[in-house]
Amino acid sequence: MKFSEDKLAKVSEIIARYPEGKQKSALLPLLHLAQEEFGGWLSADTMDYVAELLSITPIEVYEVATFYSMYNLKPVGKYMFEVCQTGPCMVRGCDDIIAYITEKLGIKPGETTTDGLFTLKTVECLGACGYAPMMQLGKFYREHLTKQRVDEIIEECRNKAALNN
Amino acid sequence: MAIKLLLEKAHVQGIRTYEVYRREGGYTALEKALKEMSPEAIVEELKKSGMRGRGGAGFPTGMKWSFIAKPEGVPRHLVCNADESEPGTFKDRYLMEFLPHLLIEGLIISSFALGSNATYIYIRGEYAWIPDILEEAIREAKAAGFLGKNILGTGFDCEIYVQRGAGAYICGEETALIESLEGKRGNPRIKPPFPAIKGVWDRPTVVNNVETLAALVPIIKMGGEEYAKIGVGRSTGTKLISACGNLNKPGVYEIDMTISVEEFIYSDEYCGGIPNGKRLKACIPGGSSVPILPANLLLKTAKGETRYMNYESLSDGGFATGSMMGSGGFIVLDEDQCVVKHTLTLARFYRHESCGQCSPCREGTGWMEKILKNIETGKGKMSDIDLLWDIQRRIEGNTICPLGDAAAWPVAAAIRHFRDEFEWHITNPQEAQIRNFGLAHYADPIHVPVTA
């Protein structure tokens, strides 16, 4: 397991943002980078590699990786639907959206489809309350969700996956 | 038309780019500050402006800045808190997405005033596309000579870096944010020492909200005294309100804090009323942590006076009959909403976000969620209401950071104002599964126009 030369240059650039000897500050950005690079989740090997890059002990990485909700500690689907379920989204009908995705994909929150394509996850407030109901899909938000929008998003993901195969 | 100091140019085509921002008068406040003013003079203007921190606590920013320690030879840092995570709040996101240069300009002025040569923007990890926008703005500002070495020939050096969080509400608390920036779990620190003395890497640090730092631009442009003339009393300047819930026009609005709550909800200039002619039931006016108010206490205070959208008026009556301005996350519930269920989602949120350091919060938030879930699903007992009250009271004030209070207040206020709705859930467990309690006596007390 190793970052590409490109990514290693990025790692050095990130570490240079902090004072000498404070390279541990780069831990969160490096875990994001590693998760993107090594299959969408953080295995023990991945975390050990990040520890090595920063000259810190593996436990310092584990304790951080387990604290923050965006780090996946087990494999997830290629497309993760992270649907917000906090108050303002609840008021605008997120329960119906979650139920619809469950029905449509046959997975409950926390589960992944058998083909490994989709994971459904319920999350807490993502700061899109005025555009609810909503979900995070990869880097971006999908807002003003309706059942029809959900259908379109699922279709879009399937098409993208088919193209990449 | 209301006065707009921050969002005035938000709809100008291409304002996200340096070229357009500059053409529209951007970076003139920075030129004024760096060429004509000393750091001390900037802090003085900020004090005169009376601006209060826009993140939620409302502490006067000028005073906060004046606390920063200046030990010889020790670098100081400014950290911009862009970890916007309080349910109902999405105003900073709007500013960063659409007016990135306004924030960068405010950050450079503030960095100069505080003597920060390395300034960090700590942004919540879920806003994953925004760092690209900010980093592009930083690149452009640097190319124009407003960042880097010896800015405008003043001898002042400054770099701005964007750091993404990874999903933790608690990192919006300034000492947790500092821990996170150091590459650790977001566990808040015991204060004192305050960050102004010992912050990131044990160096003097100021942490301010995005909106607060962006407001430096109009304050420098117009001068602190002029800024203080806008608004009313100790609510000076303008405030961004992010409105959501049952509204015709949810979104981010800039208000000058002289308008009434009624005008904000019902006028076409702002939220345009409640959809489908429904009536207002309740509102959380300042982000999920502040007390929920029934309609009859929201539009008018307990004394029967008009309630306004400012720090003093929203908190009129204390927690007994008032609420707080908080972060400006304005959540509206119509007559069809269930206060018990809404409170349950907030309790779940705080249980999920508790860092686990202090037992009252770690255990108490879980207990509150469990009890609320029982009541909501028809398995509640009458004694549960007093039990909830007792738990929230034992969390409040007994934790290292204010997350404990933030978790306790929504539950306390829901019981204080909507106790009969909780009781109804317990006495009518079956009925509560198929219909909501409705409006009852919380109806809006004044005539309100029905909008489409």
Side-chain angles (χ1 to χ4, degrees):
Chain A
M1 176 173 300
K2 198 173 185 304
F3 277 132
S4 63
E5 284 307 313
D6 249 25
K7 294 288 177 227
L8 283 174
K10 183 80 193 162
V11 169
S12 306
E13 184 204 314
I14 293 171
I15 292 173
R17 294 171 184 174
Y18 316 101
E20 196 71 39
K22 303 296 181 191
Q23 77 282 358
K24 185 178 171 177
S25 292
L27 180 52
L28 269 72
L30 257 54
L31 286 176
H32 279 304
L33 206 60
Q35 180 162 289
E36 264 168 48
E37 208 55 18
F38 304 119
W41 70 293
L42 298 171
S43 65
D45 284 348
T46 305
M47 291 191 274
D48 292 351
Y49 175 57
V50 169
E52 192 191 309
L53 283 173
L54 290 174
S55 317
I56 56 178
T57 56
I59 186 69
E60 290 176 272
V61 181
Y62 306 158
E63 64 174 11
V64 163
T66 51
F67 183 84
Y68 297 92
S69 64
M70 289 181 76
Y71 299 129
N72 303 314
L73 301 175
K74 53 180 195 196
V76 293
K78 196 171 168 70
Y79 301 101
M80 184 151 66
F81 291 177
E82 299 179 81
V83 187
C84 175
Q85 58 169 354
T86 315
C89 275
M90 186 275 286
V91 167
R92 301 295 289 227
C94 70
D95 289 355
D96 293 343
I97 296 295
I98 295 165
Y100 185 66
I101 297 173
T102 292
E103 180 200 315
K104 187 92 186 173
L105 296 177
I107 45 170
K108 289 202 275 294
E111 295 177 352
T112 301
T113 52
T114 46
D115 60 3
L117 216 48
F118 298 100
T119 297
L120 173 61
K121 187 177 170 190
T122 52
V123 295
E124 299 299 340
C125 190
L126 295 186
C129 319
Y131 325 111
M134 62 78 65
M135 65 157 112
Q136 178 142 34
L137 175 57
K139 192 172 179 178
F140 298 98
Y141 284 2
R142 302 300 178 98
E143 298 168 331
H144 301 292
L145 292 181
T146 58
K147 288 178 183 173
Q148 196 196 335
R149 281 290 296 138
V150 169
D151 285 342
E152 288 164 11
I153 292 166
I154 292 173
E155 196 56 29
E156 180 194 320
C157 293
R158 287 205 167 117
N159 289 340
K160 231 187 274 173
L163 266 178
N164 290 341
N165 275 340
Chain B
M1 258 322 256
I3 302 165
K4 293 210 184 338
L5 303 178
L6 299 175
L7 303 187
E8 191 193 353
K9 310 275 187 191
H11 297 289
V12 174
Q13 185 80 28
I15 195 73
R16 212 189 249 180
T17 64
Y18 171 77
E19 195 193 337
V20 176
Y21 181 75
R22 179 70 168 156
R23 192 184 70 213
E24 294 288 329
Y27 289 102
T28 50
L30 180 147
E31 287 172 316
K32 179 179 172 184
L34 267 66
K35 285 182 183 165
E36 298 167 25
M37 300 170 77
S38 65
E40 294 74 25
I42 296 171
V43 179
E44 270 318 299
E45 283 309 313
L46 184 56
K47 279 188 182 163
K48 279 188 219 157
S49 78
M51 184 183 48
R52 295 162 69 172
R54 303 303 196 212
F59 190 80
T61 308
M63 203 185 294
K64 188 170 185 175
W65 283 19
S66 65
F67 295 150
I68 193 165
K70 294 179 178 170
E72 198 61 43
V74 181
R76 303 186 283 277
H77 293 285
L78 170 65
V79 179
C80 173
N81 185 345
D83 193 58
E84 181 171 65
S85 311
E86 170 94 353
T89 316
F90 48 100
K91 64 185 178 70
D92 295 336
R93 166 189 168 187
Y94 187 92
L95 260 183
M96 293 187 285
E97 247 189 301
F98 297 104
L99 292 159
H101 279 286
L102 182 70
L103 174 62
I104 301 302
E105 183 177 3
L107 275 175
I108 302 168
I109 297 170
S110 307
S111 300
F112 175 69
L114 293 162
S116 168
N117 303 120
T119 291
Y120 298 85
I121 302 174
Y122 183 97
I123 184 168
R124 69 176 299 175
E126 293 90 342
Y127 288 170
W129 69 99
I130 299 180
D132 295 345
I133 297 170
L134 294 171
E135 281 171 352
E136 177 60 20
I138 291 167
R139 257 192 302 278
E140 289 181 320
K142 199 167 180 177
F146 294 127
L147 273 172
K149 296 253 176 251
N150 191 20
I151 300 168
L152 302 180
T154 53
F156 173 63
D157 304 338
C158 185
E159 297 288 348
I160 298 177
Y161 303 106
V162 183
Q163 174 109 343
R164 264 175 82 202
Y169 167 73
I170 189 61
C171 292
E173 194 279 334
E174 61 179 5
T175 61
L177 188 154
I178 287 169
E179 286 283 300
S180 183
L181 186 54
E182 292 183 357
K184 303 175 195 157
R185 296 165 72 94
N187 287 351
R189 295 176 179 174
I190 292 171
K191 297 192 268 195
F194 287 89
I197 312 294
K198 256 187 168 192
V200 65
W201 308 302
D202 283 345
R203 298 168 174 185
T205 304
V206 164
V207 182
N208 279 136
N209 170 260
V210 168
E211 184 188 348
T212 307
L213 294 165
L216 258 290
V217 175
I219 289 171
I220 294 302
K221 261 187 201 163
M222 66 203 299
E225 266 168 48
E226 284 303 306
Y227 184 89
K229 285 180 190 162
I230 300 166
V232 60
R234 287 180 58 237
S235 298
T236 61
T238 60
K239 173 88 188 82
L240 296 183
I241 305 290
S242 58
C244 62
N246 301 117
L247 289 167
N248 276 317
K249 296 194 293 171
V252 178
Y253 297 95
E254 182 168 10
I255 62 162
D256 70 7
M257 297 197 267
T258 60
I259 63 166
S260 68
V261 176
E262 185 188 348
E263 186 187 348
F264 183 69
I265 295 177
Y266 291 101
S267 80
D268 284 333
E269 193 181 340
Y270 299 102
C271 302
I274 295 167
N276 309 315
K278 297 280 183 191
R279 296 177 75 190
L280 173 67
K281 177 174 183 173
C283 172
I284 301 178
S288 63
S289 307
V290 311
I292 187 170
L293 286 179
N296 57 356
L297 283 174
L298 176 75
L299 302 177
K300 290 205 186 298
T301 65
K303 286 173 271 175
E305 291 161 355
T306 302
R307 201 184 284 280
Y308 292 94
M309 294 287 290
N310 62 50
Y311 292 92
E312 290 79 15
S313 189
L314 283 172
S315 60
D316 187 288
F319 276 12
T321 60
S323 185
M324 275 172 80
M325 176 68 126
S327 62
F330 195 85
I331 309 168
V332 170
L333 306 186
D334 74 13
E335 59 189 282
D336 291 341
Q337 299 305 325
C338 172
V339 168
V340 175
K341 187 168 183 197
H342 194 264
T343 309
L344 165 62
T345 73
L346 299 185
R348 184 183 59 211
F349 173 85
Y350 291 107
R351 187 264 303 150
H352 185 261
E353 302 300 343
S354 173
C355 81
Q357 247 190 139
C358 315
S359 14
C361 175
R362 181 186 60 238
E363 305 301 323
T365 52
W367 295 342
M368 292 198 299
E369 183 197 3
K370 211 164 147 188
I371 296 165
L372 280 162
K373 184 147 199 183
N374 279 343
I375 298 175
E376 165 63 16
T377 53
K379 292 188 261 314
K381 298 192 295 275
M382 212 42 115
S383 58
D384 283 344
I385 302 176
D386 287 337
L387 183 58
L388 267 178
W389 184 266
D390 192 52
I391 295 169
Q392 66 80 19
R393 224 171 42 87
R394 285 162 201 268
I395 300 174
E396 187 191 6
N398 291 320
T399 54
I400 289 173
C401 88
L403 190 140
D405 300 347
W409 293 344
V411 173
I415 296 173
R416 185 182 300 121
H417 299 300
F418 299 89
R419 191 175 184 113
D420 47 359
E421 190 165 338
F422 283 82
E423 289 173 354
W424 178 80
H425 270 78
I426 291 159
T427 53
N428 303 277
Q430 264 104 40
E431 202 183 347
Q433 300 311 300
I434 47 171
R435 79 167 183 93
N436 283 333
F437 183 69
L439 196 59
H441 64 272
Y442 316 123
D444 23 30
I446 51 176
H447 172 76
V448 288
V450 174
T451 46

